[in-house]
Amino acid sequence: NAGVTQTPKFRVLKTGQSMTLLCAQDMNHEYMYWYRQDPGMGLRLIHYSVGEGTTAKGEVPDGYNVSRLKKQNFLLGLESAAPSQTSVYFCASRAGLGADTQYFGPGTRLTVL
Amino acid sequence: RKEVEQDPGPFNVPEGATVAFNCTYSNSASQSFFWYRQDCRKEPKLLMSVYSSGNEDGRFTAQLNRASQYISLLIRDSKLSDSATYLCAVNKGSGGSYIPTFGRGTSLIVHP
């Protein structure tokens, strides 16, 4: 049982490049979340999903897109990366109704030059 | 005003000290509350949930004050290994409308 995994762990992009971050969970959780964490800013919710095939915007969705085609995977896409998207990205999952605890992945450190 | 606020610290305390953190939230509809611990360059991990009646887990005690809209975390007999950032989290709504909001975190440094 690996829990929540994220791929890649590190990435450097040039401005304007695109990339996709993959989050996978093997706990059969319904809900999944993407956060970014910047120094002094804490965790901010980008997008989330309450089940396969559903997505919703969080606090800071601009510049990102997501997809949840399979229950176990939640993808975060950057279509045209900007230096302001340099951050650490965390994925999290939650079992579902009646379960409040979130389980986080190890994070992806992204630098946009 | 940020929805969930914490004193960023750092709190610098000697081993064996008792230290307390507070976290205030602005949305009275908030329904569940948590403390997470985050080590440097690692992911947050749940430390404990916070229940209305207060709860204790070893050296850690969490309390909720709905009237004043804050939660607290008390650490007794601090250990060097307690050095970390402590994040409070507040959840609004329920089920599918559950939106978690995190504070910016409070840094704790325990020194010998």
Side-chain angles (χ1 to χ4, degrees):
Chain A
N1 189 331
V4 181
T5 58
Q6 292 183 232
T7 308
K9 288 186 169 48
F10 303 93
R11 185 73 186 268
V12 178
L13 288 179
K14 293 181 180 178
T15 296
Q17 287 185 318
S18 63
M19 76 163 294
T20 300
L21 282 67
L22 170 64
C23 175
Q25 51 93 5
D26 60 2
M27 299 175 282
N28 200 35
H29 283 178
E30 290 294 332
Y31 303 159
M32 297 185 75
Y33 305 84
W34 274 109
Y35 296 90
R36 61 177 289 173
Q37 188 174 37
D38 304 294
M41 295 297 293
L43 286 162
R44 291 184 292 170
L45 184 63
I46 304 171
H47 286 279
Y48 65 101
S49 168
V50 299
E52 182 179 311
T54 74
T55 63
K57 294 180 179 180
E59 180 188 355
V60 288
D62 294 342
Y64 305 95
N65 55 74
V66 287
S67 63
R68 184 102 181 266
L69 299 179
K70 294 183 179 180
K71 186 178 184 179
Q72 64 267 35
N73 295 337
F74 195 28
L75 278 62
L76 178 71
L78 287 73
E79 289 189 350
S80 179
S84 60
Q85 294 178 303
T86 293
S87 189
V88 180
Y89 291 86
F90 287 104
C91 175
S93 71
R94 177 171 79 101
L97 286 176
D100 286 333
T101 305
Q102 292 186 73
Y103 297 87
F104 283 83
T108 295
R109 296 186 177 276
L110 175 66
T111 301
V112 183
L113 302 175
Chain B
R1 180 187 170 188
K2 194 164 168 51
E3 213 165 313
V4 178
E5 297 206 54
Q6 294 182 252
D7 182 344
F11 286 66
N12 201 321
V13 303
E15 267 187 296
T18 296
V19 61
F21 310 135
N22 278 343
C23 170
T24 59
Y25 60 94
S26 60
N27 192 324
S28 58
S30 301
Q31 296 195 351
S32 49
F33 309 87
F34 306 88
W35 284 102
Y36 284 79
R37 171 190 169 128
Q38 186 174 24
D39 292 300
C40 188
R41 302 177 76 83
K42 298 286 189 180
E43 72 272 22
K45 292 185 179 178
L46 182 68
L47 179 65
M48 56 198 304
S49 303
V50 186
Y51 302 122
S52 296
S53 55
N55 47 300
E56 190 173 303
D57 183 2
R59 297 182 293 109
F60 299 84
T61 300
Q63 300 217 313
L64 167 64
N65 185 319
R66 284 192 185 273
S68 300
Q69 296 185 200
Y70 75 85
I71 63 174
S72 63
L73 177 68
L74 182 77
I75 305 175
R76 291 182 299 278
D77 189 22
S78 298
K79 311 291 185 191
L80 295 177
S81 58
D82 293 334
S83 297
T85 296
Y86 292 83
L87 304 170
C88 68
V90 173
N91 300 335
K92 295 181 295 188
S94 60
S97 64
Y98 166 122
I99 303 294
T101 303
F102 284 81
R104 298 181 183 187
T106 297
S107 176
L108 173 64
I109 301 169
V110 181
H111 59 82

